[in-house]
Amino acid sequence: MKRIAVFTSGGDSPGMNACIRAVVRTGIYRGLDVYGIYRGYEGMIEGEIKRMYSYSVSNIVQRGGTILKSARSLEFRTPEGRKKAYENLKSHGIEGLVAIGGDGTFTGAKVFFEEYGIPTVGCPGTIDNDIYGTDYTIGFDTAVNTALEAIDKIRDTAAAHDRIFFIEVMGRDAGFIAVECGIGGGAEFVMVPETKTDLKHVVKSLKNLRKTKTSSILVVAEGDDLGNAEEIMQQVKAQIKDPNKEFKVTTLGHIQRGGNPTAFDRVLASRCGMAAVEGLLEGKTNCMAGVVNKEVVYTPFGDCIGMPKPLIPDHLKLIDILSI
Ligand code: F6P
């Protein structure tokens, strides 16, 4: 293998740049030509492919976002789109790929590898932490800390006005961010897609809590089964029926996706990026380089996207116990 390309795809996450840097520099260190593909699979289809050098990735290890840009490509889901992508890679002489992204990225990479056989190794880049085969995904730690900083600030004003705050964090299908923020932010409740939210229990507990606490923080993952934070707040408010109690909603949104990556994310990203290139050179393909129990582990894409990654049960219990 002489020439590889790297791209970022799906929702961006802090630390993707550190990962790109590690791929480019490891590749050059190992004597490879390294190319960058812009805008993920979209750029692969459009032929937005440029040679990268060591200096191309200077001064990015600390920056959020992705210098290669990202996209969610509908065209890549079609055989015609993937054919165009393959032809572009072929014309650039690309013999190996590093795909940085989440489950959508790896689903695309798996299909593409099965159709065209270009060796591909992935790096887990998503704030959601919902990828099997790695303890943490690149960007999760930063997103949690960003959300936590916001929750701390909301707590000040919640306490000052004796209000109940519903804070919505990202996570369409996974509650990892909500759970970690819930523990770190001292939330009274955390609502996540993985478990059924019992409205009656929430209402009863909030009523009980009012004997000991004047304000409360409820963290809601955007994909909770009862709806988003606004919808859940309305349901709770309707059942609490206390005209003196004020309910507020804050949706943290895309603020969680930006910002300088934490040290943890920079190190994780660097390790995964380097491992992806080393893996390609050792003949690995159709798999992701992640970190499990502090060791680099390669997991087939099929497992990364097909195996559920459960929340840590002790963490949910922790929130229940510590919120009394
Ligand atoms: O997958 C990462 C993520 O940030 C999710 O937590 C969120 O639901 C989604 O992306 C938002 O996507 P978009 O930026 O396309 O609105």
Side-chain angles (χ1 to χ4, degrees), residues 11 72 126-128 170-172 222 254 257:
R72 291 194 166 102
T126 165
I127 64 165
D128 293 343
M170 276 189 164
R172 262 187 309 222
E222 62 183 327
H254 285 80
R257 287 246 295 263

Side-chain angles (χ1 to χ4, degrees), residues 7-21 60-71 100 125-127 138-139 142 254-262 269:
F7 63 97
T8 49
S9 165
D12 64 323
S13 69
M16 279 185 162
N17 278 327
C19 193
I20 295 168
R21 171 178 176 268
I60 64 164
V61 70
Q62 80 285 18
R63 280 167 47 197
T66 156
I67 59 161
L68 290 177
K69 300 191 178 285
S70 194
I100 307 170
T126 165
I127 64 165
I138 299 160
T142 308
H254 285 80
I255 190 171
Q256 296 159 92
R257 287 246 295 263
N260 298 354
T262 57

Side-chain angles (χ1 to χ4, degrees), residues 9-315:
S9 165
D12 64 323
S13 69
M16 279 185 162
N17 278 327
C19 193
I20 295 168
R21 171 178 176 268
V23 171
V24 171
R25 293 205 170 154
T26 306
I28 293 169
Y29 179 83
R30 298 293 302 261
L32 301 174
D33 296 344
V34 185
Y35 282 69
I37 302 170
Y38 288 75
R39 298 192 306 115
Y41 293 118
E42 279 294 291
M44 208 183 273
I45 292 168
E46 302 295 328
E48 295 172 54
I49 303 171
K50 289 193 190 134
R51 179 86 187 259
M52 296 189 87
Y53 303 91
S54 185
Y55 65 77
S56 315
V57 290
S58 292
N59 201 20
I60 64 164
V61 70
Q62 80 285 18
R63 280 167 47 197
T66 156
I67 59 161
L68 290 177
K69 300 191 178 285
S70 194
R72 291 194 166 102
S73 173
L74 286 178
E75 200 180 347
F76 196 75
R77 294 184 187 184
T78 66
E80 297 76 25
R82 293 193 292 275
K83 186 162 184 282
K84 278 193 221 164
Y86 173 70
E87 277 157 10
N88 281 326
L89 294 177
K90 210 172 131 200
S91 73
H92 282 83
I94 308 291
E95 297 164 306
L97 289 170
V98 177
I100 307 170
D103 52 356
T105 306
F106 298 157
T107 305
K110 181 173 181 290
V111 173
F112 193 57
F113 173 74
E114 285 162 2
E115 282 175 357
Y116 293 104
I118 298 183
T120 306
V121 176
C123 295
T126 165
I127 64 165
D128 293 343
N129 199 33
D130 57 348
I131 303 287
Y132 179 87
T134 189
D135 289 339
Y136 295 101
T137 56
I138 299 160
F140 171 68
D141 186 62
T142 308
V144 167
N145 280 290
T146 301
L148 205 51
E149 202 185 322
I151 292 172
D152 289 348
K153 288 177 177 160
I154 291 168
R155 178 175 278 287
D156 290 344
T157 177
H161 286 268
D162 294 341
R163 285 170 168 160
I164 297 177
F165 264 86
F166 290 73
I167 303 173
E168 185 178 302
V169 296
M170 276 189 164
R172 262 187 309 222
D173 308 308
F176 289 98
I177 297 178
V179 168
E180 298 300 301
C181 288
I183 297 171
E188 272 64 44
F189 277 101
V190 170
M191 304 177 199
V192 292
E194 291 88 342
T195 59
K196 210 168 146 30
T197 300
D198 180 350
L199 189 66
K200 274 196 190 138
H201 172 66
V202 175
V203 171
K204 196 171 159 213
S205 310
L206 275 180
K207 281 184 178 165
N208 281 339
L209 282 175
R210 274 160 57 203
K211 295 172 194 149
T212 52
K213 296 181 184 184
T214 53
S215 66
S216 296
I217 301 283
L218 293 88
V219 178
V220 181
E222 62 183 327
D224 187 71
D225 59 302
L226 281 188
N228 62 25
E230 176 66 32
E231 288 159 353
I232 297 176
M233 183 278 278
Q234 293 297 351
Q235 296 174 53
V236 171
K237 190 178 170 183
Q239 295 208 13
I240 288 207
K241 295 190 194 110
D242 179 350
N244 296 319
K245 204 70 216 167
E246 283 187 282
F247 297 83
K248 296 281 175 186
V249 173
T250 302
T251 301
L252 299 183
H254 285 80
I255 190 171
Q256 296 159 92
R257 287 246 295 263
N260 298 354
T262 57
F264 181 89
D265 277 331
R266 295 182 204 192
V267 174
L268 175 66
S270 302
R271 291 188 74 192
C272 292
M274 181 172 131
V277 177
E278 302 285 2
L280 279 176
L281 289 171
E282 286 162 16
K284 294 195 168 61
T285 183
N286 206 15
C287 64
M288 177 194 80
V291 174
V292 177
N293 291 331
K294 301 196 170 80
E295 301 287 339
V296 167
V297 170
Y298 297 89
T299 304
F301 281 145
D303 290 350
C304 297
I305 55 185
M307 303 278 281
K309 183 173 179 184
L311 296 171
I312 302 170
D314 283 359
H315 284 193

